[in-house]
Amino acid sequence: MRILVVEDEPHLAELVKDHLSKVPFAVDVARCLDEGHALLSANRYDAVVLDRGLPDGDGLGLLRLLRSKGDATPVLAATARDQITDRIHGLDLGMDDYLVKPYDLGELTARLKALMRRSGQKLGGLQTAGNVALDTVRGSAEICGVPLALARRPLMLLETLMRASGRVVSRQHLEESLYGIDELIDSNALEANVSRLRRTLADHQATVSIHAVRGVGYMLSEVKNP
Ligand code: CA
């Protein structure tokens, strides 16, 4: 899950990024409308946290632009302006939810998850593939009731592969879902995470396995005789 946070207060942006990274989400930060627009044009995000008071204008301008292009990425506006007319205006423009500053980071996470669930991305509740059960809200995975001890990135990788179970997921998409743009990606980082995840799945006799599709990416599929 990749989130764009458009926020010009550096301290708040950092706090939000740190918090959401632990969920775990891959998080990019934009400090103004132009930066936000550039990132949204270049990448695919699962949700946007949008500040209203930005140095180059009202965040709603970015929302208007997105919706005019037919982009339905869920947008949660975080605003200091809590006047009721402002909220209605934002909702009219296609804003999905809002929080009034100062907001609680736990509430932000819960609202984002609810938004992504509503947008049909199978984020909520339990997902299963073979004998692997993944609770994307709690951020844990298990096989036959035994929890899998997975670090943040292998767990994110498992989630992305499970959401596309039986289909090939491109290398680029996997890297994008695991890393923010300002994180340096070692060319072997994805392979390292895949091999850690494979090892854990094998240790627990998973009935799914990860196949490498040469030159394309990876695919999770069920194995008949594990
Ligand atoms: Ca601001």
Side-chain angles (χ1 to χ4, degrees):
M1 289 291 157
R2 192 169 188 187
I3 311 281
L4 175 65
V5 176
V6 187
E7 173 59 64
D8 62 319
E9 289 169 43
H11 180 65
L12 179 60
E14 211 43 48
L15 269 180
V16 170
K17 182 175 178 167
D18 280 358
H19 186 83
L20 294 180
S21 298
K22 287 186 201 115
V23 171
F25 293 137
V27 182
D28 294 333
V29 173
R31 292 157 301 175
C32 62
L33 289 177
D34 283 347
E35 230 175 73
H37 186 226
L39 287 173
L40 279 161
S41 308
N43 308 296
R44 194 191 61 81
Y45 292 97
D46 297 291
V48 180
V49 179
L50 184 63
D51 183 29
R52 299 268 318 261
L54 293 161
D56 49 355
D58 188 330
L60 291 185
L62 187 56
L63 174 67
R64 192 182 294 118
L65 196 65
L66 264 187
R67 297 297 182 250
S68 72
K69 290 195 292 185
D71 187 326
T73 306
V75 172
L76 183 149
T79 173
R81 302 171 205 175
D82 56 349
Q83 287 88 8
I84 189 74
T85 47
D86 262 20
R87 297 184 197 177
I88 292 167
H89 183 46
L91 291 167
D92 280 346
L93 285 176
M95 165 178 99
D96 300 272
D97 198 1
Y98 62 86
L99 275 175
V100 176
K101 285 181 170 180
Y103 53 81
D104 177 75
L105 291 172
E107 185 175 4
L108 175 66
T109 307
R111 299 271 192 112
L112 281 174
K113 284 180 173 173
L115 274 188
M116 292 191 275
R117 241 185 338 255
R118 284 211 297 270
S119 76
Q121 297 183 33
K122 292 204 283 177
L123 183 81
L126 218 57
Q127 279 200 55
T128 56
N131 59 359
V132 183
L134 175 74
D135 185 329
T136 53
V137 176
R138 282 171 48 215
S140 61
E142 57 176 51
I143 290 178
C144 304
V146 180
L148 306 186
L150 285 169
R152 191 169 83 88
R153 291 223 165 83
L155 185 67
M156 290 165 86
L157 178 64
L158 178 64
E159 179 174 344
T160 307
L161 289 170
M162 281 178 75
R163 285 171 63 212
S165 186
R167 285 182 284 129
V168 182
V169 186
S170 75
R171 220 196 133 75
Q172 190 191 347
H173 179 80
L174 287 170
E175 285 178 341
E176 282 176 2
S177 66
L178 295 189
Y179 298 91
I181 40 163
D182 58 347
E183 291 177 279
L184 282 174
I185 309 177
D186 185 281
S187 60
N188 294 318
L190 181 60
E191 277 65 34
N193 283 299
V194 167
S195 69
R196 268 188 270 165
L197 180 56
R198 274 185 172 144
R199 212 174 311 132
T200 305
L201 290 174
D203 286 349
H204 290 78
Q205 285 88 47
T207 60
V208 291
S209 64
I210 302 169
H211 306 277
V213 181
R214 220 180 141 80
V216 185
Y218 291 93
M219 178 171 85
L220 185 82
S221 59
E222 287 195 49
V223 282
K224 296 283 173 273
N225 297 298

